[in-house]
Structure formats: structure tokens, C-alpha cells
Amino acid sequence: MKLYMSHTSPFARKVRMTTRLIGLADQVEEICTTFESAELRERNPLGKIPALEAPDITLFDSALICEYLDEQYVEAGGDSLYHGDRDDYYPLLSALALANGITEAAVSTMMETKRTTEHSTYWLERWNTAMETGIRNLDVAVLGTPADMNMAGIAMAACLGYLDFRLGDRNWRAWNPALADWFHEIAQQRWFTDTAPPEGA
Ligand SMILES: N[C@@H](CCC(=O)N[C@@H](CS)C(=O)NCC(=O)O)C(=O)O
């Protein structure tokens, strides 16, 4: 399989952490690309990173790619990253939706601030509120532990890694101290450190 990715994309990182956690990393060639490239647009008409070329299908959006990888893992006898305790199923999916949504707000903020023309205060405020309210409302209990990760935890790890990397001025740890404690342990895991953006990126 070929993953079209960039080292700075939190959506690509979510996929890359997943391949490492489920033992599929050596079957996925990581190809660095940019969102302006023709090779990416051939695989994702929206021109967004990441896209996965699998033997049977080419997939985009990171959520779909992660579901596909999870299916491979389950077929090989692994426990699905989406199904923990049955009672946790919808809380887990809600936390996953929240993590993906906060990441979207963070990436949009970053792209808007990088624009050379005038920035939209309206959108920057909306995204900031989404990030802060999302993080304050996140229930750490459903995110899993390093020994028992699930997709909500992986998505949240990618999200918080991105906030520290690109939006270090947001003091998200003060918004949710329990989440800060959870992340402190996660940030030491090999699958997290191995997928970090390179220095100076
Ligand atoms: N929902 C998409 C979001 C992907 C996304 O926004 N990727 C960013 C890089 S972090 C991108 O390629 N942006 C370029 C653009 O929006 O045109 C996913 O989960 O894959």
C-alpha cells in the first residue's frame, strides 16, 4: 500500500500512528507529497492529504483510511480500534468526531493565519471557540490507554500533537488538565514519537 502524506499533517499522522499500532507499518510505503501536487489530486480529487492506494481501492479522507486499515487488522484477528466495551461505542465515536472536528478547526486556523491578505476575525474566533469548547468537553475516560488504544485516542493524540506543533500559544492544557495528564503519557509512546513532524518543519 502507498500512503500519500506529509510529515506535518495531523490527518496523515493519525493514519501513520494507526499503521504502527496495528503492526501494518511495514506494508505501507509513506510517500511525501504536497496538497498542490498532481499525484495527490489523481488519488484525491479534493487535493487533501492523506490518500491511500491499497491493492483493491484508492481511498481518501483519513477517517475512511483508518476504517479500512482497521478492517484489515480485524480480518487478521485483531480487536477493532472502534469497538471497545459495547457501552462505550457511541461515546467513543463521539470523542472521535470531536477530535477530528478540533483538528479541522486547528488546521483551518493555521491556513487562515498563513494567508498574506487580511485574516477573517470572524472565522478565527469561531475556530478558536470550537477548539476550546471541544477540548473542555472531551471525556478522557473513553480515549483508551497506551496498552489499549482506540481510534478516538489516536485521533486525539494527532490533534494535540498538532496544537503543540502549530498553535503553541493556545494553552489547551489549562482547558482540560485531565487530558493534559493523559497526553503526557501518550507523548512518550514510540508510535507517537516516530511520527512527529521533523524539527523546523
Ligand atoms: N477530512 C480530511 C481533511 C484533510 C485535510 O484537511 N488535509 C490538509 C492537510 S493537514 C490539506 O491537505 N489541506 C489542503 C486543502 O484543504 O486544500 C481528512 O481527514 O483526511
Side-chain angles (χ1 to χ4, degrees), residues 9-11 14 35 46-50 61-63 104 107 111:
S9 162
F11 299 106
K14 186 174 60 175
F35 58 76
L46 301 175
K48 291 188 181 211
I49 293 172
D61 185 288
S62 61
E104 298 271 2
V107 168
M111 293 181 90

Side-chain angles (χ1 to χ4, degrees), residues 109-148:
T109 300
M110 183 60 202
M111 293 181 90
E112 178 69 11
T113 1
K114 262 178 32 187
R115 274 199 312 137
T116 42
T117 45
E118 200 187 329
H119 304 143
S120 164
T121 317
Y122 171 79
W123 281 110
L124 288 173
E125 277 176 16
R126 261 191 84 84
W127 292 325
N128 195 55
T129 304
M131 287 186 271
E132 177 168 351
T133 318
I135 285 182
R136 284 190 189 281
N137 281 280
L138 204 107
D139 178 8
V140 178
V142 300
L143 296 181
T145 62
D148 183 24

Side-chain angles (χ1 to χ4, degrees), residues 1-88:
M1 291 184 274
K2 289 181 179 169
L3 179 69
Y4 291 82
M5 48 79 70
S6 85
H7 285 106
T8 55
S9 162
F11 299 106
R13 190 177 192 185
K14 186 174 60 175
V15 174
R16 296 169 65 226
M17 291 194 290
T18 302
T19 60
R20 284 155 180 78
L21 269 159
I22 65 179
L24 278 182
D26 58 354
Q27 291 179 43
V28 179
E29 184 189 352
E30 295 186 343
I31 298 171
C32 287
T33 192
T34 64
F35 58 76
E36 292 99 349
S37 76
E39 62 172 6
L40 178 68
R41 204 167 283 277
E42 274 165 29
R43 287 152 186 98
N44 177 356
L46 301 175
K48 291 188 181 211
I49 293 172
L52 180 79
E53 207 173 85
D56 50 341
I57 194 163
T58 297
L59 293 170
F60 58 87
D61 185 288
S62 61
L64 197 51
I65 296 171
C66 289
E67 277 199 52
Y68 178 85
L69 294 171
D70 185 64
E71 201 176 282
Q72 311 292 307
Y73 183 51
V74 171
E75 274 172 18
D79 287 336
S80 171
L81 292 165
Y82 296 81
H83 300 261
D85 182 342
R86 200 60 219 173
D87 291 344
D88 275 358

